Amino acid sequence: MNNFDYVKTTTAQEAVAKKEEAHNSFYVAGGTNLIDLWKYDIEHPEALVDISDFNVYKTIEDLGADGVRLGALVSNADTAHHPLIKERYPLLSNTILAGASAQIRNSATNGGNLLQRTRCYYFYDKVSPCNKRVPGSGCPAKEGMNRLHAILGHSEHCIATFPSDMCVALAALEAKVEVTGPKGDRTIAFEDFHTLPGDTPDIENTLGKNELITAIVLPPEGYADNYSYLKLRDRNSYAFALVSVATGMKLNAGKIEKIRIALGGVAHIPWRNKEVENFLQGKSPTPENFKQAAEMMVEGAVGFEHNSFKIEATKRALVRNCIMALDPSTQRPGAKPSL
């Protein structure tokens, strides 16, 4: 571990100013992923700006008709078990509990969850080329071990996937991200927060330099009556998704009035396809319609030697998850907490 400076700050404005002073500095709260990256010799912070005492960002606020605001520093565990989230956003609660372990969820924060890095083997292997870690060095995952990797939205430069479970639900819920930084406050639509790899896989989101996430705002619609999260993984605890699906659905007179579907484990971002959602809206919630939607969802998907199974797995998971959303009590183990 390299030597580094440490400063504990008391306000967001102070934190932003301190971070601007130091080269290669990091905000730190839960620190769960940063410590991993440090141990793997991937990151070498020269300064840590501690924001963990900002109580103003440790609350979950009922905004009434405008939804709910999740403080960026609320832990994943406290968010998942909060009565307001369990009642109005059970999809989010279940999705958080399907990720990581109880110990990590107790430390990891909501803001940090949005910024966790890929679990691509080559990204963490310091002796391997990796365009995400060292731009221009190559992507051995394309011809190597790529079981966990992307089938949608990848580029010739990177086929890594985004690992978060929580963010799959936030994509389906159409959340917004509140940030502050050197140029003031702004709000980012969740669908605009994470970015596809393209020619710059080292750039993973649209945060500006030294900007700090302060909150996540959930819209009023939480799909509390019809929702489901399904996570396909190699083991039932402490494993990242091979394929996951978050579905929120609103029914009216036997038809789908509104539906949102997001995928995890298949792309560089939580993956949505609005054409699929538009196709289903106004139709009956039948397996046949869900199967057509599933075919549309994987249109253009390209797998590699070890992950082509994900194309068929995605179709089956989408259909099964939409059916489970009709009666959330039928959710299968993929929505149960990781221990």
Side-chain angles (χ1 to χ4, degrees), residues 2 4 33 35 42 45 54 66 99 102 139 148 164 167 185 207 211 219 221 230 270 312 314-315 317 327 333:
N2 58 285
F4 62 96
N33 194 199
I35 298 301
I42 306 301
F54 293 3
D66 293 325
C139 179
L148 285 176
S164 169
C167 288
D185 302 337
L207 271 181
E211 280 190 322
E221 180 57 74
L230 178 62
E312 183 64 25
T314 297
K315 291 191 288 184
D327 180 1

Side-chain angles (χ1 to χ4, degrees), residues 116 178 231 239 306:
Q116 58 182 301
E178 294 183 343
K231 180 178 180 180
H306 302 290

Side-chain angles (χ1 to χ4, degrees), residues 59 103 125 161 218 250 276 288 295 309 326:
T59 61
Q103 291 89 343
D125 181 2
T161 53
L218 305 177
K250 186 175 182 180
V276 172
E288 290 71 25
E295 294 288 344
F309 72 94
L326 300 174

Side-chain angles (χ1 to χ4, degrees), residues 73-85:
L73 296 181
V74 181
S75 74
N76 289 175
D78 285 346
T79 301
H81 293 296
H82 194 283
L84 194 58
I85 303 305

Side-chain angles (χ1 to χ4, degrees), residues 46-127:
E46 295 179 15
L48 294 184
V49 179
D50 190 335
I51 59 173
S52 61
D53 280 350
F54 293 3
N55 289 330
V56 67
Y57 302 135
K58 292 183 177 179
T59 61
I60 292 179
E61 181 184 2
D62 188 347
L63 303 177
D66 293 325
V68 169
R69 175 180 283 110
L70 309 175
L73 296 181
V74 181
S75 74
N76 289 175
D78 285 346
T79 301
H81 293 296
H82 194 283
L84 194 58
I85 303 305
K86 292 176 69 174
E87 177 185 353
R88 290 171 53 183
Y89 304 94
L91 173 62
L92 178 60
S93 177
N94 284 13
T95 304
I96 292 173
L97 294 176
S101 65
Q103 291 89 343
I104 290 176
R105 293 193 296 267
N106 285 336
S107 295
T109 63
N110 291 334
N113 196 306
L114 272 58
L115 301 178
Q116 58 182 301
R117 310 294 303 276
T118 182
R119 265 60 179 183
C120 174
Y121 323 117
Y122 301 96
F123 174 75
Y124 280 85
D125 181 2
K126 189 65 180 295
V127 302

